[in-house]
């Protein structure tokens, strides 16, 4: 009890200390020095501290404003040196207390979490032992202690470090997380994941959502860690509530069930695709591993019984796609319709969510949310009827809306600033859908709008390029990229399933193993494709835009846009499958004359002056085209065959189902001819396949290939190693036999197999000015206009002639 009171007192004192020393904090100084956006709507009632990051130069008005309250920003303030020892002691007491409360909370919340109990027990026992060790260690770190923030003071709990194992983790590497004041168990999980510091979007969102309880609209580049930017505040709040529940139990001696959240839905996260929902679930599970918070996916393709079983476990966090969620909610699924306990409503990839195919279901889900988000009292009658809901849960529901490409109108931003948005208003108020949905979901007027997108909104470590080619040569260039620069994982994006089928078929014939992913595939096949792609470090995935958003697969080095997407947003998301977190990557767009105007508008929307041409070694192209021509012929024959077979099967199946006896009406001669044709085509197919086999059995050779050297693209590292061994062996044999230079086998490996490297070493001269592109676009438009005019002129001429003939006849 005393310990609890001490915790409470110290937590009451904490903010004062922070404010007093706020001026000396370098992080605040840095934030203060960031530029103000004069374009922001000014309002007397504005928060005292407004921060602008990013810009609003894009068409369509991407977010360009961040509002964070200085006082509530929650930065960790260094304590004076003299107080350190005292504070450390107090902190370790607090930590011990926290652990106890937590154990209580965990116990009461769920009895089946033996892992957490065992870990906490162990950590409490070993704490004393490790404390001594730590003191000695701290002495050794005098130099580091001179720094402003003391590591052990600022959050990385000793228990946490004990659990991770000090030999594995250097706690000093995780200092950067301290200012976010996350729960020690969350820090532990973060340390285990090896995330040294929060990403900028996490730094900005966590204080606002976790400590200030604000609604958040967040925009940041692809791969910047947005999942944890909304995931950590959810877990933090659940943990805090548990601790408070534990305190209440201790102080008042009341039943823990009265305060603890047992088996209630606390957070509903909605993502646009199944893969993304499953990925978000996995990501959150990895962080929630040690805190006994259940995270469950609700997506199409999961068996109904399994889904039922998952929901019976009453998960606190549900991540789902709108379709399946609404299907279950509208059927009255018990866990999903008890929404009064919901503390977080999250829309991931929000802009996709409001597009066709999701909007209606999402709207229905939102309409099911309890209305009175602004005043807890309004809802209290309903809430009080549920005895298990603690007063902490009755706090306002938070709405978090995230994407890499969120676009809000300045109107909506003004509204948020003014605090004049209404709940559940009509959809016909003229606002665009994302805003309407946010409002209907209960987005509050003091929402923090955090935009960390750069003017081009593309990931900073992404190198972009293009290849200008004829539409019919796209296959050849794709094959070239995959063969010559296929190191690392590659995703090839198409807009249509027909194109995807065509490419994957051609590439497979050419001996390139590809996986496919599109919306018409069965869920199991989709997941299998993803798994296989993930397993292979040089894997190739051919996908439609179902894979454009959110998918987080490490090691994707290259993204190829075989067909350009319909919007700039989709281009951003597609390209964002590479250059994620701190990695680098490149994107290559294949641009035919059909795509020129689309490409020009893309450049415009990303404020790009120039785009780099992807460097090509044209001497490889004759060989590429030779292979491709064979592959196309093979594809044509096999397609025809399989189509005929399918048609025959269909006919046989249907005729037998209606007990129809079918006879062939072909004459004998016709039948013989057909048979001959089939035989010829099968012979031709065999021949083509053999020819291609010979070609692809050797590395792709340039036109200038010299047979004195074994060189060329497509030499895999393994093949190169084997050839080098062979060369060494030959050389020693020759030296032994007294042969000279003649007969020496020289192996030249690839200098640069990686597309990114090739792009970087290509230099500036291959850059194409956006003005060139604009000029080309103008020419194309002129040409189109002239053709149209010519057609019209001809039409008019014909009409006149007809008239003349008619009147002449009369
Ligand atoms: N603080 C961090 N430090 C290092 N890596 C991180 C950190 N936070 C998240 N990551 C990793 O970064 C990768 C991208 O994260 P995430 O998928 O959340 O990005 P995102 O911003 O949602 O991307 P997208 O807009 O494409 O959906 C993941 O592999 C994640 O594990």
């Amino acid at each position: 009890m005393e310990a609890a009171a001490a915790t409470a007192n110290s937590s009451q004192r904490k903010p004062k200390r922070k404010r007093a020393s706020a001026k000396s904090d370098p992080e605040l100084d840095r934030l203060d020095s960031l530029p103000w956006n004069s374009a922001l709507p000014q309002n007397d009632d504005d928060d005292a501290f407004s921060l602008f990051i990013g810009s609003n130069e894009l068409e369509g008005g991407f977010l360009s404003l961040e509002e964070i309250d200085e006082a509530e920003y929650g930065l960790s303030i260094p304590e004076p040196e003299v107080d350190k020892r005292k504070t450390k002691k107090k902190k370790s007491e607090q930590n011990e207390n926290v652990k106890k409360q937590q154990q209580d909370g965990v116990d009461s919340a769920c009895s089946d979490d033996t892992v957490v109990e065992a870990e906490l027990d162990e950590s409490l026992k070993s704490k004393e032992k490790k404390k001594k060790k730590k003191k000695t260690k701290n002495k050794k770190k005098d130099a580091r202690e001179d720094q402003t923030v003391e590591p052990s003071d600022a959050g990385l709990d000793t228990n946490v470090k004990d659990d991770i194992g000090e030999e594995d983790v250097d706690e000093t590497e995780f200092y950067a997380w301290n200012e976010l004041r996350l729960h020690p168990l969350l820090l532990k999980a973060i340390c285990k994941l090896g995330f040294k510091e929060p990403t900028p979007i996490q730094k900005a969102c966590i204080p606002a959502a976790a400590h200030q309880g604000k609604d958040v609209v967040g925009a940041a580049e692809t791969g910047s860690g947005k999942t944890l930017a909304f995931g950590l505040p959810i877990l933090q709040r659940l943990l805090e509530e548990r601790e408070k529940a534990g305190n209440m139990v201790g102080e008042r001696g009341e039943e823990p069930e009265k305060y603890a959240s047992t088996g209630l839905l606390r957070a509903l996260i909605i993502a646009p695709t199944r893969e993304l929902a499953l990925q978000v679930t996995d990501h959150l599970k990895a962080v929630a591993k040690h805190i006994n918070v259940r995270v469950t996916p609700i997506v199409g393709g999961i068996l109904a019984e399994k889904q039922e079983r998952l929901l019976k476990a009453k998960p606190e966090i549900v991540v789902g796609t709108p379709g399946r969620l609404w299907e279950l909610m509208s059927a009255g699924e018990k866990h999903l319709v008890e929404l009064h306990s919901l503390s977080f409503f999250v829309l991931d990839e929000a802009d996709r969510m409001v597009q066709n195919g999701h909007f209606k279901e999402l709207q229905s889900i939102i309409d099911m949310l309890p209305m009175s988000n602004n005043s807890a009292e309004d809802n209290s009658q309903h809430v009080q009827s549920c005895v298990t809901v603690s007063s902490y849960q009755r706090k306002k529901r938070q709405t978090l809306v995230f994407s890499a490409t969120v676009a809000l109108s300045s109107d909506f931003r003004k509204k948020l600033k003014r605090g004049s948005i209404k709940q559940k208003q009509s959809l016909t108020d003229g606002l665009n859908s994302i805003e309407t949905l946010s409002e209907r979901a209960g987005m509050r007027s003091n929402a923090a709008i955090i935009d960390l997108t750069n003017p081009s909104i593309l990931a900073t470590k992404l190198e972009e390029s293009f290849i200008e080619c004829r539409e019919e040569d796209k296959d050849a260039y794709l094959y070239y990229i995959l063969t010559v620069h296929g190191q690392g994982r590659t995703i090839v994006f198409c807009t249509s399933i027909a194109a995807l089928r065509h490419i994957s078929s051609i590439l497979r014939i050419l001996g390139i193993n590809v996986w496919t992913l599109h919306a018409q595939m069965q869920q199991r096949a989709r997941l299998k494709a993803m798994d296989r792609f993930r397993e292979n470090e040089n894997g190739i995935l051919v996908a439609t835009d179902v894979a454009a958003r959110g998918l987080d697969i490490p090691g994707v080095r290259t993204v190829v846009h075989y067909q350009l997407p319909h919007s700039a947003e989709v281009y951003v998301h597609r390209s964002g499958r590479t250059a994620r977190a701190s990695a680098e990557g490149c994107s290559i767009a294949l641009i035919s004359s059909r795509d020129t105007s689309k490409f020009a508008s893309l450049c415009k929307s990303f404020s790009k002056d120039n785009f780099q041409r992807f460097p090509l070694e044209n001497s490889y192209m004759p060989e590429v085209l030779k292979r491709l021509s064979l592959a196309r012929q093979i594809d044509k024959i096999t397609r025809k065959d399989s189509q005929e077979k399918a048609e025959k099967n269909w006919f046989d199946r249907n005729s037998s189902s209606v007990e129809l006896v079918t006879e062939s009406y072909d004459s004998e001669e016709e039948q013989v001819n057909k048979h001959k044709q089939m035989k010829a085509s099968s012979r031709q197919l065999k021949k083509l396949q053999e020819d291609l086999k010979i070609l692809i059995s050797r590395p792709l050779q340039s036109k200038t290939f010299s047979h004195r050297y074994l060189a060329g693209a497509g030499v895999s590292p393994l093949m190169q190693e084997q050839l080098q061994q062979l060369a060494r062996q030959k050389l020693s044999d020759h030296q032994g036999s007294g042969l000279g230079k003649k007969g020496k086998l020289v192996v030249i490996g690839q200098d640069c197999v990686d597309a990114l490297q090739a792009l970087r070493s290509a230099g500036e001269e291959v850059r194409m000015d956006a003005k060139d592109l604009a000029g080309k676009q103008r020419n194309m438009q002129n040409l189109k206009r002239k053709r149209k005019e010519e057609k019209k002129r001809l039409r008019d001429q014909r009409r006149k002639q007809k008239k003349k003939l008619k009147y002449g006849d009369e």
Side-chain angles (χ1 to χ4, degrees):
M1 202 68 142
E2 272 172 30
T7 317
N9 287 340
S10 74
S11 63
Q12 274 166 10
R13 275 197 305 273
K14 216 172 172 187
K16 277 187 192 168
R17 247 195 344 251
K18 256 191 281 169
R19 276 167 197 268
S21 47
K23 272 174 199 154
S24 62
D25 188 273
E27 186 60 15
L28 269 183
D29 292 344
R30 187 185 69 77
L31 292 172
D32 271 338
S33 70
L34 286 165
W36 288 78
N37 179 14
S38 56
L40 296 180
Q42 295 301 317
N43 190 333
D44 292 343
D45 305 332
D46 290 349
D47 291 334
F49 182 82
S50 279
L51 174 69
F52 165 71
I53 302 173
S55 90
N56 193 22
E57 288 168 31
L58 281 164
E59 280 187 346
F62 288 99
L63 280 186
S64 62
L65 171 70
E66 178 183 355
E67 294 167 70
I68 292 196
D69 206 311
E70 175 190 20
E72 295 170 85
Y73 200 72
L75 295 166
S76 177
I77 305 302
E79 289 169 22
E81 281 288 308
V82 273
D83 286 349
K84 269 184 191 170
R85 300 285 164 224
K86 268 190 208 166
T87 326
K88 218 188 286 176
K89 204 177 159 198
K90 214 178 278 171
K91 279 258 168 158
S92 69
E93 275 173 18
Q94 278 177 19
N95 285 331
E96 215 161 351
N97 196 30
V98 160
K99 290 283 167 195
K100 268 184 198 158
Q101 291 160 5
Q102 202 154 357
Q103 199 170 10
D104 290 342
V106 168
D107 285 345
S108 60
C110 186
S111 54
D112 63 0
D113 188 26
T114 46
V115 184
V116 176
E117 281 177 34
E119 272 174 14
L120 289 173
D121 225 19
E122 207 178 294
S123 64
L124 286 168
K125 276 184 204 163
S126 62
K127 195 182 165 196
E128 282 304 311
K129 237 200 268 172
K130 298 277 170 113
K131 224 171 166 184
K132 279 183 192 166
K133 202 175 158 193
K134 195 174 172 296
K135 266 185 189 168
T136 342
K137 207 177 170 191
N138 276 348
K139 269 183 197 167
K140 284 181 195 166
K141 283 191 276 171
D142 277 348
R144 253 186 259 139
E145 279 185 357
D146 287 342
Q147 290 172 358
T148 41
V149 181
E150 235 256 11
S152 55
D153 278 351
L156 194 58
D157 187 272
T158 44
N159 289 336
V160 172
K161 284 177 279 174
D162 292 350
D163 283 348
I164 301 163
E166 286 185 46
E167 64 283 2
D168 299 334
V169 177
D170 176 4
E171 77 254 28
T172 55
E173 290 182 1
F174 297 91
Y175 285 176
W177 286 96
N178 294 339
E179 70 182 45
L180 296 182
R181 295 190 282 123
L182 287 171
H183 192 280
L185 286 174
L186 292 179
L187 283 175
K188 172 185 170 178
I190 289 164
C191 291
K192 278 199 168 172
L193 289 171
F195 297 160
K196 301 268 160 65
E197 54 180 344
T199 62
I201 188 78
Q202 292 163 358
K203 256 188 203 171
C205 288
I206 293 169
H211 303 308
Q212 300 162 28
K214 281 190 174 186
D215 291 343
V216 173
V217 180
E221 66 182 40
T222 50
S224 58
K226 291 188 285 294
T227 312
L228 288 190
F230 62 74
L232 287 172
I234 296 174
L235 296 170
Q236 173 76 15
R237 182 163 160 188
L238 296 188
L239 281 171
E240 276 175 4
E241 284 177 8
R242 269 189 198 167
E243 280 182 13
K244 280 179 189 163
N247 279 346
M248 288 294 189
V249 174
E251 281 170 15
R252 300 184 193 170
E254 285 173 303
E255 287 299 307
E257 284 76 22
K258 199 167 174 184
Y259 303 100
S261 54
T262 45
L264 293 169
L265 181 61
R266 307 301 314 284
L268 185 60
I269 301 168
I270 310 192
T273 63
R274 297 166 182 187
E275 284 77 11
L276 189 52
L278 293 171
Q279 186 183 290
V280 169
T281 308
D282 286 347
H283 209 1
L284 295 187
K285 270 186 180 169
V287 188
K289 208 169 166 185
H290 302 281
I291 56 174
N292 188 36
V293 170
R294 281 151 299 194
V295 190
T296 292
I298 302 288
V299 295
I302 295 185
L303 288 176
E305 301 92 68
K306 189 175 178 192
Q307 196 84 86
E308 217 171 278
R309 197 157 25 88
L310 287 172
L311 286 170
K312 258 194 187 148
K314 297 187 182 294
E316 289 88 344
I317 303 177
V318 162
V319 189
T321 46
R324 175 55 70 96
L325 267 175
W326 178 239
E327 194 184 312
L328 293 174
M329 286 169 100
S330 55
E333 207 296 326
K334 218 169 162 250
H335 187 64
L336 295 176
V337 294
E338 285 179 359
L339 294 166
H340 51 267
S341 55
L342 204 65
S343 296
F344 288 92
F345 181 73
V346 185
L347 294 180
D348 192 14
E349 302 293 351
D351 53 340
R352 171 70 186 92
M353 215 71 95
V354 295
Q355 287 162 12
N356 281 345
H358 289 310
F359 186 74
K360 258 184 106 175
E361 286 140 346
L362 188 59
Q363 197 182 319
S364 311
I365 294 170
I366 286 175
D367 287 344
M368 262 191 128
L369 299 176
M371 236 176 90
S372 51
N373 187 30
N374 269 345
S375 86
E377 291 74 38
D378 293 351
N379 206 22
S380 57
Q381 256 190 335
H382 175 51
V383 170
Q384 273 162 6
S385 65
C386 178
V387 283
T388 53
V389 178
S390 78
S391 53
Y392 308 108
Q393 288 159 234
R394 261 182 260 144
K395 270 185 358 190
K396 293 158 193 167
R397 181 179 69 239
Q398 287 175 250
T399 306
L400 311 177
V401 173
F402 279 79
S403 181
T405 48
V406 173
L408 294 187
S409 67
S410 55
D411 218 27
F412 187 61
R413 274 188 241 134
K414 268 185 212 159
K415 273 187 160 193
L416 284 175
K417 268 194 152 290
R418 276 202 310 267
S420 60
I421 55 173
K422 289 173 230 143
Q423 306 293 305
K424 303 246 171 183
Q425 58 185 208
S426 140
L427 274 175
T428 56
D429 66 349
L431 287 172
N432 79 21
S433 337
I434 200 167
E435 296 156 7
T436 316
L437 283 180
S438 303
E439 291 186 27
R440 284 169 77 93
M443 173 79 67
R444 284 165 290 159
S445 50
N446 66 343
I449 305 182
I450 299 166
D451 172 24
L452 303 185
T453 52
N454 57 42
S456 85
I457 63 162
L458 289 153
T460 28
K461 292 202 169 161
L462 173 77
E463 294 268 354
E464 284 170 288
S465 64
F466 72 97
I467 293 174
E468 223 176 354
C469 59
R470 292 185 311 168
E471 189 65 32
E472 57 270 32
D473 288 341
K474 280 189 174 181
D475 294 350
Y477 285 104
L478 177 62
Y479 178 64
Y480 170 88
I481 294 165
L482 297 176
T483 319
V484 182
H485 302 295
Q487 209 177 54
R489 293 190 183 93
T490 305
I491 305 184
V492 181
F493 279 106
C494 314
T495 38
S496 72
I497 296 181
L500 174 144
R501 288 195 173 125
H502 163 77
I503 304 171
S504 48
S505 165
I506 293 282
L507 289 175
R508 279 176 188 143
I509 292 170
L510 284 162
I512 295 186
N513 194 17
V514 298
W515 298 99
T516 52
L517 186 71
H518 59 83
Q520 281 176 14
M521 280 164 71
Q522 296 240 322
Q523 186 58 22
R524 266 167 69 102
R526 277 164 74 159
L527 292 176
K528 197 171 150 193
M530 291 291 296
D531 284 347
R532 293 287 148 83
F533 178 57
R534 244 181 255 266
E535 277 163 18
N536 188 341
E537 61 178 28
N538 294 318
I540 299 163
L541 182 75
V542 184
T544 57
D545 289 325
V546 75
R549 281 172 186 265
L551 287 190
D552 182 50
I553 298 163
V556 175
R557 294 286 286 176
T558 315
V559 165
V560 181
H561 303 271
Y562 181 85
Q563 293 172 312
L564 280 185
H566 297 305
S567 72
E569 278 90 350
V570 179
Y571 179 88
V572 173
H573 288 284
R574 279 181 176 188
S575 301
R577 296 317 98 210
T578 182
R580 298 180 68 72
S582 49
E584 298 176 322
C586 83
S587 82
I588 307 168
L590 299 179
I591 308 295
S592 72
S593 55
R594 272 192 216 167
D595 307 309
T596 323
S597 65
K598 224 189 223 180
F599 190 58
S601 23
L602 266 184
C603 293
K604 204 173 150 199
S605 42
F606 301 139
S607 324
K608 283 243 167 197
D609 290 336
N610 56 28
F611 248 70
Q612 193 167 350
R613 270 180 210 279
F614 189 81
L616 294 166
E617 184 55 75
N618 281 321
S619 56
Y620 285 111
M621 288 324 278
E623 168 86 6
V624 167
L625 291 170
K626 215 194 283 177
R627 291 181 184 196
L628 209 78
S629 151
L630 290 174
R632 278 188 180 143
Q633 292 177 59
I634 294 171
D635 186 49
K636 203 173 163 190
I637 297 173
T638 44
R639 252 172 217 273
K640 203 174 152 221
D641 281 358
S642 56
Q643 206 173 339
E644 277 170 9
K645 264 184 206 155
E647 275 168 16
K648 193 172 176 301
N649 285 346
W650 180 87
F651 189 73
D652 289 349
R653 236 189 355 261
N654 285 300
S655 53
S656 69
S657 70
V658 289
E659 292 174 3
L660 197 78
V661 182
T662 54
E663 273 179 36
S664 169
Y665 294 103
D666 291 342
S667 70
E668 205 168 303
E669 197 187 331
E670 276 171 339
Q671 280 187 28
V672 170
N673 276 345
K674 255 189 189 171
H675 188 68
K676 268 187 190 168
Q677 266 176 16
M678 265 169 64
K679 275 211 138 180
S681 129
S682 131
R683 255 201 316 276
Q684 194 195 356
L685 183 65
K686 235 180 177 174
K687 168 94 179 56
L688 289 167
Q689 281 169 336
E690 269 163 19
D691 289 352
L692 184 63
K693 201 174 163 192
I694 294 168
L695 283 185
I696 58 180
S697 65
R698 57 184 192 224
L700 192 67
Q701 293 163 1
S702 72
K703 207 177 157 192
T704 51
F705 177 71
S706 156
H707 286 268
R708 277 184 49 207
Y709 300 95
L710 183 55
V715 184
S716 70
L718 178 68
M719 194 180 197
Q720 194 175 317
E721 177 58 33
Q722 285 169 348
L723 288 169
Q724 263 161 356
Q725 267 178 21
L726 189 73
R728 273 196 295 273
Q729 200 181 333
K730 280 215 163 200
L731 188 65
S732 60
D733 288 353
H734 288 151
Q735 276 166 353
S737 67
L739 278 172
K741 265 187 184 177
K742 227 176 160 205
K744 220 199 256 180
L745 177 64
V746 182
V747 181
I748 302 171
Q750 296 277 173
D751 275 349
C752 109
V753 254
D754 187 326
L756 181 65
Q757 253 178 290
L759 196 57
R760 283 193 176 149
S761 50
E764 288 291 306
E765 68 273 16
V766 288
R767 289 194 172 269
M768 185 169 90
D769 208 300
K771 278 176 205 147
D772 285 1
L773 211 59
K776 271 193 180 174
Q777 194 189 358
R778 260 197 311 278
N779 289 345
M780 284 290 292
Q781 278 165 355
N782 283 343
L783 204 70
K784 271 186 195 166
R785 190 169 39 78
K786 275 182 189 162
R787 270 196 208 143
K788 228 177 174 178
E789 282 169 6
E790 182 65 14
K791 269 186 188 171
K792 198 171 169 263
R793 197 183 57 76
L794 284 171
R795 249 197 330 266
D796 289 347
Q797 207 175 348
R798 253 180 263 137
R799 210 175 293 141
K800 270 180 197 165
Q801 273 174 353
K802 265 187 190 172
K803 257 186 191 173
K804 227 181 193 176
L805 277 172
K806 207 175 162 187
Y807 291 122
D809 287 351
E810 279 171 10

